[in-house]
Amino acid sequence: MALASSSSASAITGSSFSRSISASEPKAPQIGLVRLFSRPNLPASSVNYSQRRCSVEPLHAEPKRNDSVAPLAASSVAPGVVEEVQVEDYEGLAKDLENASPLEIMDKALEKFGNDIAIAFSGAEDVALIEYAHLTGRPFRVFSLDTGRLNPETYKCFDEVEKHYGIHIEYMFPDAVEVQALVRSKGLFSFYEDGHQECCRVRKVRPLRRALKGLRAWITGQRKDQSPGTRSEVPVVQVDPVFEGLDGGIGSLVKWNPVANVGSKDIWDFLRSMNVPVNSLHSQGYVSIGCEPCTRPVLPWQHEREGRWWWEDAKAKECGLHKGNLKQEDAAELNGNVKGGSTDVDIFESQNLVSLTRDGIENLARLEGKKEPWIVVLYAPWCRFCQAMEGSYVELADKLAGTGVKVGKFRADTAKEFAQRELQLDSFPTILFFPKHSSRPIKYPSEKRDVDSLMAFVNAFR
């Protein structure tokens, strides 16, 4: 496993990637697969989950779970004893830290989450996050999304940052089969014609979702001045509104934005004063840097985000990694779904997943003697909660392929009244299990939509 830690550590043990650090630097506790680093006394607070600590795991690692619907703790807790779980007030914490420095916010994030948090590094100004983390003296992890279409200068920047801080960045890559299918069906530059969302979903959003499933918190370089249309209200810390963390479900991931209140000029003054490596594209007029085909330099009077997806409307200046910043009406428009209309960008795409029409779902609801049971998600492609569970549901379809359980999807926003009346739709997404012996579907009751929880639900009835 590639583990990023601050260069103040004397060594990274238990890894073939060990690096020697100058003995003149202050020593921090060692970390690695064999020995855990020491931690400060952490508060027993959480967001709908317990702050469990574990040995070092790669970002994409997922915990082993029991397929039983009943919790393991049910057999060991004494009658009448209820475990009290304290819920962290992150809105209150965001207010408390509103005037704090980025260094103080970074220190608080690393203190709270230890090895369960990582910095998202894009090869641009995010190097400031790594420098702040380094200055705290605490161990830290860094990951990056390699889309396969970055500039050569960006890859060179990755290498320089690793060497400067003595770290190894944990790279996440898109699924080769998905990239192959996209390119073969639409070509290499389809985003110029039908928008960047589909390509970004394959190359960035889904790899990010896999990365975050191994974490309980992540750190981003979002700033309020980056995109006034979508990021003007970014808090310094928040419960992630889109993605799920290690424990699954809404509220299982915390998002830290230490430089939310810092302006671009102040960021660059900091980078120059600390003499850290930066992407050489910045000196060529690039400000906001993404994939090579979708990024270009900006003119002196242009906003930095005008160099990203310049052929699209300004409201579409989010690739999906921070789609939670969009207001609901903007998100619907971004997905071509104004007032419940059709959309060009669908979700839950898999060869093991059946797309049901209105007639198909009606037949399924009437049929009592089915050959196979079904699990079906009622969804809207513009819904951020549906988007958040896309990876888990597609993985569920792949796992159930050939097992005798059919996995389907029904786009219910175009038939909402019918779905509310006949299919128990309350909100998106709604997940239903149709047993073989009955036409009456069983509604999935939980907000935990990770693949293991969904699999346990299916196993309880088949």
Side-chain angles (χ1 to χ4, degrees):
M1 180 201 70
L3 176 72
S5 67
S6 65
S7 59
S8 59
S10 58
I12 300 178
T13 61
S15 169
S16 59
F17 299 119
S18 299
R19 291 176 179 266
S20 298
I21 308 297
S22 172
S24 61
E25 296 184 15
K27 294 185 178 181
Q30 292 181 326
I31 57 178
L33 292 178
V34 178
R35 188 188 311 175
L36 291 177
F37 53 85
S38 60
R39 304 177 185 272
N41 293 326
L42 297 172
S45 57
S46 64
V47 180
N48 298 331
Y49 57 84
S50 300
Q51 294 270 17
R52 298 190 302 272
R53 296 297 181 221
C54 58
S55 60
V56 175
E57 297 284 356
L59 282 172
H60 51 78
E62 299 198 25
K64 294 182 179 179
R65 299 179 186 268
N66 191 293
D67 286 337
S68 171
V69 173
L72 292 177
S75 60
S76 58
V77 177
V81 177
V82 178
E83 181 181 357
E84 182 179 350
V85 179
Q86 184 181 355
V87 177
E88 179 75 69
D89 178 14
Y90 282 104
E91 289 188 7
L93 182 60
K95 291 179 181 179
D96 292 341
L97 295 174
E98 181 67 17
N99 297 317
S101 68
L103 182 61
E104 183 180 352
I105 298 168
M106 178 68 74
D107 188 66
K108 177 67 70 175
L110 296 179
E111 176 192 12
K112 271 186 169 292
F113 289 95
N115 192 60
D116 294 333
I117 190 172
I119 297 169
F121 177 56
S122 68
E125 295 161 289
D126 293 336
V127 69
L129 298 176
I130 299 178
E131 178 65 16
Y132 282 123
H134 170 70
L135 291 173
T136 67
R138 300 181 186 274
F140 60 93
R141 298 170 65 183
V142 180
F143 75 94
S144 188
L145 307 176
D146 185 350
T147 65
R149 304 202 72 172
L150 303 178
N151 296 77
E153 292 87 347
T154 299
Y155 290 112
K156 185 177 180 182
C157 178
F158 286 155
D159 182 66
E160 291 174 347
V161 167
E162 286 187 316
K163 291 176 179 176
H164 181 83
Y165 291 100
I167 63 175
H168 279 280
I169 298 171
E170 303 175 46
Y171 296 101
M172 301 299 297
F173 301 92
D175 182 87
V177 175
E178 290 185 345
V179 173
Q180 179 176 283
L182 175 63
V183 173
R184 284 185 175 180
S185 64
K186 292 193 171 183
L188 287 167
F189 300 98
S190 61
F191 37 82
Y192 290 142
E193 299 176 2
D194 56 18
H196 72 272
Q197 294 296 319
E198 183 177 21
C199 184
C200 283
R201 189 170 71 247
V202 170
R203 294 181 181 270
K204 298 177 73 173
V205 178
R206 287 177 178 167
L208 176 66
R209 185 177 289 117
R210 294 200 311 270
L212 297 179
K213 279 187 176 181
L215 298 170
R216 291 192 169 90
W218 63 310
I219 301 169
T220 85
Q222 288 191 104
R223 303 193 322 273
K224 291 178 179 177
D225 71 338
Q226 282 176 326
S227 185
T230 62
R231 300 188 180 184
S232 60
E233 299 177 8
V234 171
V236 297
V237 58
Q238 62 187 135
V239 176
D240 196 294
V242 175
F243 295 101
E244 298 182 3
L246 187 62
D247 292 316
I250 303 302
S252 61
L253 186 71
V254 180
K255 187 176 185 179
W256 292 78
N257 309 298
V259 294
N261 298 319
V262 182
S264 176
K265 181 181 182 301
D266 292 325
I267 286 287
W268 277 100
D269 287 344
F270 173 70
L271 293 174
R272 293 187 187 99
S273 65
M274 302 307 294
N275 194 29
V276 299
V278 295
N279 196 320
S280 62
L281 289 174
H282 289 301
S283 63
Q284 301 175 39
Y286 292 79
V287 182
S288 180
I289 301 173
C291 293
E292 188 276 333
C294 304
T295 308
R296 69 178 184 181
V298 296
L299 298 173
W301 60 87
Q302 289 182 305
H303 190 273
E304 63 182 80
R305 297 293 281 186
E306 291 190 51
R308 303 287 293 276
W309 311 293
W310 62 89
W311 63 92
E312 295 181 353
D313 181 76
K315 287 184 179 179
K317 301 299 186 181
E318 293 288 355
C319 61
L321 305 190
H322 305 294
K323 189 172 285 188
N325 297 333
L326 296 172
K327 301 291 188 294
Q328 186 171 358
E329 59 271 20
D330 292 338
E333 184 175 344
L334 174 59
N335 285 278
N337 190 53
V338 180
K339 296 182 180 179
S342 62
T343 178
D344 294 327
V345 183
D346 201 8
I347 57 176
F348 302 123
E349 300 284 4
S350 170
Q351 61 182 1
N352 296 318
L353 209 152
V354 180
S355 182
L356 295 168
T357 63
R358 168 75 175 265
D359 290 340
I361 194 74
E362 285 182 346
N363 289 335
L364 188 62
R366 286 196 298 262
L367 191 62
E368 293 192 2
K370 307 178 190 68
K371 292 183 179 180
E372 298 171 307
W374 283 73
I375 182 169
V376 179
V377 61
L378 312 182
Y379 74 101
W382 45 264
C383 169
R384 67 188 187 190
F385 300 110
C386 298
Q387 295 165 0
M389 68 165 285
E390 181 186 19
S392 297
Y393 197 70
V394 169
E395 185 178 349
L396 177 74
D398 295 340
K399 284 190 173 185
L400 290 175
T403 66
V405 178
K406 290 288 189 181
V407 182
K409 65 175 184 176
F410 174 64
R411 182 171 174 184
D413 63 326
T414 57
K416 193 171 182 179
E417 290 184 4
F418 159 75
Q420 289 174 328
R421 183 178 66 253
E422 304 292 338
L423 299 174
Q424 308 175 55
L425 175 69
D426 290 324
S427 60
F428 298 114
T430 292
I431 302 168
L432 303 175
F433 185 81
F434 292 82
K436 287 197 300 183
H437 67 280
S438 172
S439 63
R440 180 174 177 80
I442 301 167
K443 185 176 180 179
Y444 181 63
S446 175
E447 288 190 346
K448 295 188 69 172
R449 302 182 185 115
D450 59 280
V451 67
D452 294 299
S453 297
L454 294 174
M455 183 67 80
F457 174 65
V458 171
N459 287 339
F461 300 108
R462 63 169 175 161

